[in-house]
Amino acid sequence: QQPVQSPQAVILREGEDAVINCSSSKALYSVHWYRQKHGEAPVFLMILLKGGEQKGHEKISASFNEKKQQSSLYLTASQLSYSGTYFCGTDPSRAGGTSYGKLTFGQGTILTVHP
Amino acid sequence: EAQVTQNPRYLITVTGKKLTVTCSQNMNHEYMSWYRQDPGLGLRQIYYSMNVEVTDKGDVPEGYKVSRKEKRNFPLILESPSPNQTSLYFCAITWGANVNSPLHFGNGTRLTVT
């Protein structure tokens, strides 16, 4: 079962903030976040592990609520370069187990940042 | 730096004509996988491989085959392509085996089946 991302699309002006959510119906042990620019391959942003800390990447950070089986990606003071489609990938493997890259991805959130 | 090379980048073919999309990596990674990307559906895993001669089905394996005869190559085979296999395909490697291992994707192959 694919995780569900919300919103499906968001439009921002430079400097504004955004939150992208990822919800799963299954218990999660890790959540990956990727960004894909138009015509390019997805690029890894960060991983959050069950029981782990909130991760950060430049002005992009994320949280992982294990009880709610949700993760949220926070983009603060957005820049034009943040435009793209954001995907969460969930891994139901138990902590310490192997995932083999068997991620199940959400449908994506299209983020557009205007000047 | 890890590199994942897919070929071809673009492919137009006709229904029923067998084709192979190649994927090779330069870092001796054990774990490789294939995904297809369709609008509104995100990335869905087709097959993955844990090592040479070890492969398993992902979420949408129907109509596809893979082989892993050597560690660096993981080709995707469509024996009899159909229009519903028109999609953007990505090969990926996993930089490690545990749950905090990210995927690194190739540049993609856009396939059109008429």
PDB file of all heavy atoms in Angstrom, chain B residues 73-86:
ATOM      1  N   ASN B  73      25.560  -5.255 -13.623  1.00  0.00           N
ATOM      2  CA  ASN B  73      24.478  -5.080 -14.597  1.00  0.00           C
ATOM      3  C   ASN B  73      23.153  -5.665 -14.125  1.00  0.00           C
ATOM      4  O   ASN B  73      23.123  -6.760 -13.542  1.00  0.00           O
ATOM      5  CB  ASN B  73      24.854  -5.740 -15.931  1.00  0.00           C
ATOM      6  CG  ASN B  73      26.027  -5.056 -16.596  1.00  0.00           C
ATOM      7  OD1 ASN B  73      26.139  -3.835 -16.567  1.00  0.00           O
ATOM      8  ND2 ASN B  73      26.919  -5.845 -17.184  1.00  0.00           N
ATOM      9  N   PHE B  74      22.086  -4.954 -14.417  1.00  0.00           N
ATOM     10  CA  PHE B  74      20.754  -5.394 -14.003  1.00  0.00           C
ATOM     11  C   PHE B  74      19.754  -4.967 -15.088  1.00  0.00           C
ATOM     12  O   PHE B  74      19.025  -3.986 -14.942  1.00  0.00           O
ATOM     13  CB  PHE B  74      20.414  -4.752 -12.650  1.00  0.00           C
ATOM     14  CG  PHE B  74      19.167  -5.284 -12.005  1.00  0.00           C
ATOM     15  CD1 PHE B  74      18.858  -6.632 -11.996  1.00  0.00           C
ATOM     16  CD2 PHE B  74      18.288  -4.406 -11.360  1.00  0.00           C
ATOM     17  CE1 PHE B  74      17.719  -7.113 -11.381  1.00  0.00           C
ATOM     18  CE2 PHE B  74      17.145  -4.870 -10.730  1.00  0.00           C
ATOM     19  CZ  PHE B  74      16.864  -6.225 -10.740  1.00  0.00           C
ATOM     20  N   PRO B  75      19.693  -5.706 -16.179  1.00  0.00           N
ATOM     21  CA  PRO B  75      18.813  -5.305 -17.278  1.00  0.00           C
ATOM     22  C   PRO B  75      17.340  -5.598 -16.990  1.00  0.00           C
ATOM     23  O   PRO B  75      17.011  -6.571 -16.301  1.00  0.00           O
ATOM     24  CB  PRO B  75      19.319  -6.159 -18.450  1.00  0.00           C
ATOM     25  CG  PRO B  75      19.941  -7.350 -17.804  1.00  0.00           C
ATOM     26  CD  PRO B  75      20.518  -6.870 -16.506  1.00  0.00           C
ATOM     27  N   LEU B  76      16.492  -4.758 -17.555  1.00  0.00           N
ATOM     28  CA  LEU B  76      15.038  -4.931 -17.471  1.00  0.00           C
ATOM     29  C   LEU B  76      14.553  -5.387 -18.840  1.00  0.00           C
ATOM     30  O   LEU B  76      14.840  -4.730 -19.841  1.00  0.00           O
ATOM     31  CB  LEU B  76      14.370  -3.614 -17.083  1.00  0.00           C
ATOM     32  CG  LEU B  76      12.845  -3.635 -16.959  1.00  0.00           C
ATOM     33  CD1 LEU B  76      12.408  -4.465 -15.753  1.00  0.00           C
ATOM     34  CD2 LEU B  76      12.305  -2.208 -16.839  1.00  0.00           C
ATOM     35  N   ILE B  77      13.821  -6.479 -18.873  1.00  0.00           N
ATOM     36  CA  ILE B  77      13.402  -7.091 -20.128  1.00  0.00           C
ATOM     37  C   ILE B  77      11.882  -7.050 -20.237  1.00  0.00           C
ATOM     38  O   ILE B  77      11.176  -7.464 -19.315  1.00  0.00           O
ATOM     39  CB  ILE B  77      13.887  -8.549 -20.205  1.00  0.00           C
ATOM     40  CG1 ILE B  77      15.406  -8.597 -20.051  1.00  0.00           C
ATOM     41  CG2 ILE B  77      13.460  -9.203 -21.521  1.00  0.00           C
ATOM     42  CD1 ILE B  77      15.941  -9.908 -19.555  1.00  0.00           C
ATOM     43  N   LEU B  78      11.404  -6.569 -21.379  1.00  0.00           N
ATOM     44  CA  LEU B  78       9.984  -6.620 -21.674  1.00  0.00           C
ATOM     45  C   LEU B  78       9.821  -7.576 -22.855  1.00  0.00           C
ATOM     46  O   LEU B  78      10.182  -7.253 -23.979  1.00  0.00           O
ATOM     47  CB  LEU B  78       9.442  -5.229 -22.027  1.00  0.00           C
ATOM     48  CG  LEU B  78       9.232  -4.259 -20.856  1.00  0.00           C
ATOM     49  CD1 LEU B  78      10.571  -3.721 -20.319  1.00  0.00           C
ATOM     50  CD2 LEU B  78       8.319  -3.109 -21.265  1.00  0.00           C
ATOM     51  N   GLU B  79       9.344  -8.770 -22.569  1.00  0.00           N
ATOM     52  CA  GLU B  79       9.257  -9.813 -23.596  1.00  0.00           C
ATOM     53  C   GLU B  79       8.227  -9.458 -24.673  1.00  0.00           C
ATOM     54  O   GLU B  79       8.444  -9.681 -25.854  1.00  0.00           O
ATOM     55  CB  GLU B  79       8.875 -11.147 -22.952  1.00  0.00           C
ATOM     56  CG  GLU B  79       9.905 -11.713 -21.992  1.00  0.00           C
ATOM     57  CD  GLU B  79      10.905 -12.642 -22.684  1.00  0.00           C
ATOM     58  OE1 GLU B  79      10.783 -12.827 -23.911  1.00  0.00           O
ATOM     59  OE2 GLU B  79      11.799 -13.157 -21.993  1.00  0.00           O
ATOM     60  N   SER B  80       7.124  -8.902 -24.255  1.00  0.00           N
ATOM     61  CA  SER B  80       6.061  -8.540 -25.193  1.00  0.00           C
ATOM     62  C   SER B  80       5.415  -7.242 -24.713  1.00  0.00           C
ATOM     63  O   SER B  80       4.357  -7.257 -24.090  1.00  0.00           O
ATOM     64  CB  SER B  80       5.024  -9.665 -25.290  1.00  0.00           C
ATOM     65  OG  SER B  80       4.040  -9.344 -26.255  1.00  0.00           O
ATOM     66  N   PRO B  81       6.053  -6.121 -25.012  1.00  0.00           N
ATOM     67  CA  PRO B  81       5.566  -4.835 -24.478  1.00  0.00           C
ATOM     68  C   PRO B  81       4.143  -4.518 -24.913  1.00  0.00           C
ATOM     69  O   PRO B  81       3.725  -4.860 -26.032  1.00  0.00           O
ATOM     70  CB  PRO B  81       6.551  -3.817 -25.065  1.00  0.00           C
ATOM     71  CG  PRO B  81       7.742  -4.604 -25.475  1.00  0.00           C
ATOM     72  CD  PRO B  81       7.242  -5.963 -25.834  1.00  0.00           C
ATOM     73  N   SER B  82       3.429  -3.853 -24.032  1.00  0.00           N
ATOM     74  CA  SER B  82       2.081  -3.402 -24.340  1.00  0.00           C
ATOM     75  C   SER B  82       1.987  -1.912 -24.026  1.00  0.00           C
ATOM     76  O   SER B  82       2.809  -1.372 -23.271  1.00  0.00           O
ATOM     77  CB  SER B  82       1.054  -4.185 -23.523  1.00  0.00           C
ATOM     78  OG  SER B  82       1.276  -3.972 -22.150  1.00  0.00           O
ATOM     79  N   PRO B  83       0.986  -1.232 -24.593  1.00  0.00           N
ATOM     80  CA  PRO B  83       0.878   0.221 -24.377  1.00  0.00           C
ATOM     81  C   PRO B  83       0.811   0.624 -22.909  1.00  0.00           C
ATOM     82  O   PRO B  83       1.270   1.724 -22.552  1.00  0.00           O
ATOM     83  CB  PRO B  83      -0.414   0.572 -25.118  1.00  0.00           C
ATOM     84  CG  PRO B  83      -0.468  -0.420 -26.233  1.00  0.00           C
ATOM     85  CD  PRO B  83       0.047  -1.701 -25.629  1.00  0.00           C
ATOM     86  N   ASN B  84       0.285  -0.219 -22.038  1.00  0.00           N
ATOM     87  CA  ASN B  84       0.224   0.159 -20.613  1.00  0.00           C
ATOM     88  C   ASN B  84       1.585   0.110 -19.935  1.00  0.00           C
ATOM     89  O   ASN B  84       1.699   0.412 -18.734  1.00  0.00           O
ATOM     90  CB  ASN B  84      -0.807  -0.689 -19.856  1.00  0.00           C
ATOM     91  CG  ASN B  84      -0.439  -2.152 -19.786  1.00  0.00           C
ATOM     92  OD1 ASN B  84       0.681  -2.545 -20.116  1.00  0.00           O
ATOM     93  ND2 ASN B  84      -1.377  -2.972 -19.346  1.00  0.00           N
ATOM     94  N   GLN B  85       2.601  -0.284 -20.662  1.00  0.00           N
ATOM     95  CA  GLN B  85       3.959  -0.223 -20.136  1.00  0.00           C
ATOM     96  C   GLN B  85       4.687   1.041 -20.584  1.00  0.00           C
ATOM     97  O   GLN B  85       5.875   1.223 -20.283  1.00  0.00           O
ATOM     98  CB  GLN B  85       4.743  -1.473 -20.533  1.00  0.00           C
ATOM     99  CG  GLN B  85       4.206  -2.726 -19.857  1.00  0.00           C
ATOM    100  CD  GLN B  85       4.943  -3.977 -20.265  1.00  0.00           C
ATOM    101  OE1 GLN B  85       4.939  -4.365 -21.448  1.00  0.00           O
ATOM    102  NE2 GLN B  85       5.575  -4.635 -19.309  1.00  0.00           N
ATOM    103  N   THR B  86       3.971   1.893 -21.280  1.00  0.00           N
ATOM    104  CA  THR B  86       4.503   3.222 -21.585  1.00  0.00           C
ATOM    105  C   THR B  86       4.699   3.957 -20.270  1.00  0.00           C
ATOM    106  O   THR B  86       3.761   4.118 -19.483  1.00  0.00           O
ATOM    107  CB  THR B  86       3.533   4.006 -22.486  1.00  0.00           C
ATOM    108  OG1 THR B  86       3.492   3.377 -23.769  1.00  0.00           O
ATOM    109  CG2 THR B  86       3.969   5.455 -22.634  1.00  0.00           C
TER     110      THR B  86
END
